[in-house]
Amino acid sequence: MKKVLVSIFILALCLSAQAQVRNEVHIPDLKGYQTLKCDFHIHTVFSDGTVWPTVRIDEAYREGLDAISLTEHIEYRPHKKDIKASHNRSFEIAESAAKSKNILLIKGSEITRSMPPGHSNAIFLKDADALEQEDYRDAFKAAKNQGAFIFWNHPGWDAQQPDTTLWWKEHTELLEDGCLKGIEVVNGKYFPEAHQWCLDKKMTMLGNSDVHQPIQVNVDFGKGEHRTMTLVFAKERSVEGIREALENRRTAVYFKENLIGEPVYLKELFENSIRIENVKKTDKEVHITLFNDSDLKFVLKKTEQNPNLQYFRDYTIQPHCKHTIVVKLLNGTTRGSLNFEVTNLWVQPGKGLAYSFAI
Ligand SMILES: [Zn+2]
Ligand SMILES: [Zn+2]
């Protein structure tokens, strides 16, 4: 009996040691929308990745993601001698693991062509096999016929656009046909041209990992790093909710310590992250104590200044930290605004979000 109890105890220990920990990403919701953390560009052994599909679900769970898409290359399958399967297979294998860990799994594929039009991901597919076509136009059409959302991957990839990141006439055709609605503004690195195109052409901004190896090969979690992800501002946490948000351009890209997106969303994310805890005002000074409840860091740089309000030129508000801004009031001034650029919230290439605190 004693022996049985001991083995049960050891078994229980092993099971608890194996239990996965989910590390939530603390980025606030917006009014009426949930902020979902998503990665829409991932590979497994079913194309040129090195891991089994269920491993991607474990990784997503550990990193606090809400949704992922396994986007195997349609036209590039270096393991095909060993793995002969439908293009839908990696999704099918991961599906039950995704359900059990409450990760939303979106069926996708990478249409992998030379430039133009380069590589594109089609997500919300029903049948990925239908994308196996001679002409790339037919592959895009097959995806569109299934109601897919299609975006251009890594437009500035040096293997395809070594000198300049160009927009081709083929992309205009795809855009006009409703076959291209978004662009990866970040994939490995930031593509400023893609950022500007999204603003000018009203396309959706995405940032994804494009991970091929186990994620820890690319991301050093010990140093507090995170994978590049797309923040989706969705009415509900569901696959349909994500699709609706992508169609309506409600996204931002979380890349290293930066957020990239439309100013309206970045401003609300900033305001919902920062809680003003205390304002102490005397005739000569104002002390504003802020608390940053989020995982985001904010780098503030002073812009045009009212000469009667004296405050320091820059402030870095660290995640989950308190921070006090001290303002000297000169010449009997009692009110005004403190003007900053939040330099790590990118609203345009080379331009941070303008933000003012009223005092
Ligand atoms: Zn690949
Ligand atoms: Zn690619």
Side-chain angles (χ1 to χ4, degrees):
M1 184 60 188
K2 212 171 173 188
K3 243 187 185 165
V4 173
L5 281 176
V6 168
S7 1
I8 289 173
F9 179 68
I10 290 171
L11 181 69
L13 267 184
C14 292
L15 287 175
S16 68
Q18 281 170 1
Q20 277 196 320
V21 175
R22 182 168 163 91
N23 298 297
E24 295 293 346
V25 181
H26 299 100
I27 298 181
D29 291 334
L30 304 185
K31 192 163 184 282
Y33 303 119
Q34 290 184 54
T35 298
L36 303 181
K37 295 95 191 175
C38 310
D39 186 354
F40 303 117
H41 194 164
I42 295 176
H43 297 276
T44 77
V45 289
F46 284 81
S47 57
D48 58 344
T50 60
V51 310
W52 193 249
T54 53
V55 174
R56 296 308 190 197
I57 302 297
D58 291 334
E59 292 173 343
Y61 178 82
R62 274 200 303 272
E63 291 168 59
L65 296 181
D66 293 288
I68 63 167
S69 187
L70 304 176
T71 49
E72 313 297 355
H73 298 281
I74 294 285
E75 300 84 349
Y76 182 54
R77 307 179 93 187
H79 308 308
K80 65 177 173 236
K81 248 192 188 168
D82 299 301
I83 296 179
K84 298 183 201 329
S86 145
H87 294 287
N88 297 302
R89 194 63 194 136
S90 65
F91 174 89
E92 290 166 3
I93 289 170
E95 214 178 359
S96 68
K99 271 205 187 98
S100 74
K101 291 208 154 59
N102 196 21
I103 301 287
L104 302 169
L105 184 65
I106 297 166
K107 189 184 275 188
S109 281
E110 183 164 8
I111 305 171
T112 311
R113 303 294 175 131
S114 52
M115 191 67 76
H119 296 191
S120 301
N121 276 358
I123 57 174
F124 309 109
L125 290 174
K126 294 186 177 78
D127 175 19
D129 287 339
L131 274 57
E132 212 175 303
Q133 300 284 344
E134 190 84 34
D135 191 318
Y136 79 82
R137 289 178 184 84
D138 295 328
F140 278 79
K141 262 181 221 148
K144 192 195 161 195
N145 289 342
Q146 298 177 28
F149 178 92
I150 312 170
F151 56 92
W152 183 6
N153 297 339
H154 44 72
W157 184 31
D158 52 4
Q160 289 197 324
Q161 307 236 60
D163 303 316
T164 341
T165 303
L166 297 176
W167 175 276
W168 300 69
K169 70 170 185 348
E170 285 78 359
H171 296 113
T172 304
E173 281 166 24
L174 290 169
L175 178 67
E176 284 170 358
D177 290 346
C179 287
L180 198 63
K181 291 184 175 169
I183 318 180
E184 278 184 339
V185 170
V186 176
N187 175 323
K189 60 181 186 147
Y190 167 63
F191 305 114
E193 299 86 353
H195 188 184
Q196 194 60 51
W197 293 333
C198 286
L199 296 169
D200 296 342
K201 300 174 197 293
K202 303 282 172 239
M203 297 176 77
T204 305
M205 295 183 210
L206 298 113
N208 300 308
S209 71
D210 196 2
V211 64
H212 286 72
Q213 293 174 288
I215 188 74
Q216 65 270 25
V217 175
N218 304 101
V219 182
D220 190 341
F221 296 101
K223 284 189 183 152
E225 291 178 5
H226 63 86
R227 73 167 84 188
T228 296
M229 60 185 85
T230 305
L231 304 180
V232 174
F233 309 118
K235 288 180 186 163
E236 54 171 44
R237 191 186 185 278
S238 68
V239 170
E240 264 320 301
I242 292 173
R243 180 210 294 272
E244 189 276 336
L246 291 180
E247 296 279 352
N248 290 292
R249 306 181 60 238
R250 291 197 311 272
T251 63
V253 175
Y254 185 27
F255 167 52
K256 295 184 177 167
E257 291 174 337
N258 310 295
L259 288 181
I260 305 160
E262 292 285 345
V264 57
Y265 301 131
L266 299 193
K267 182 169 182 251
E268 199 178 336
L269 279 177
F270 178 69
E271 286 176 336
N272 293 356
S273 301
I274 300 283
R275 180 157 47 83
I276 298 191
E277 239 184 28
N278 196 5
V279 180
K280 258 199 247 160
K281 209 167 177 179
T282 66
D283 292 349
K284 294 202 169 82
E285 275 185 355
V286 182
H287 291 223
I288 306 169
T289 305
L290 311 167
F291 197 91
N292 178 6
D293 284 314
S294 76
D295 287 354
L296 305 167
K297 167 176 160 178
F298 299 105
V299 184
L300 275 58
K301 216 177 136 193
K302 184 158 77 177
T303 53
E304 349 91 71
Q305 184 191 355
N306 173 347
N308 289 322
L309 298 176
Q310 231 174 49
Y311 54 101
F312 197 59
R313 73 186 87 90
D314 47 31
Y315 293 90
T316 298
I317 305 174
Q318 297 291 351
H320 307 282
C321 271
K322 202 178 262 196
H323 198 91
T324 302
I325 299 178
V326 179
V327 189
K328 282 204 167 69
L329 304 172
L330 306 179
N331 302 317
T333 305
T334 56
R335 54 183 63 236
S337 64
L338 312 180
N339 305 317
F340 291 103
E341 179 181 337
V342 189
T343 59
N344 66 320
L345 303 185
W346 302 350
V347 295
Q348 259 177 43
K351 198 173 161 220
L353 177 78
Y355 195 83
S356 299
F357 293 95
I359 59 162

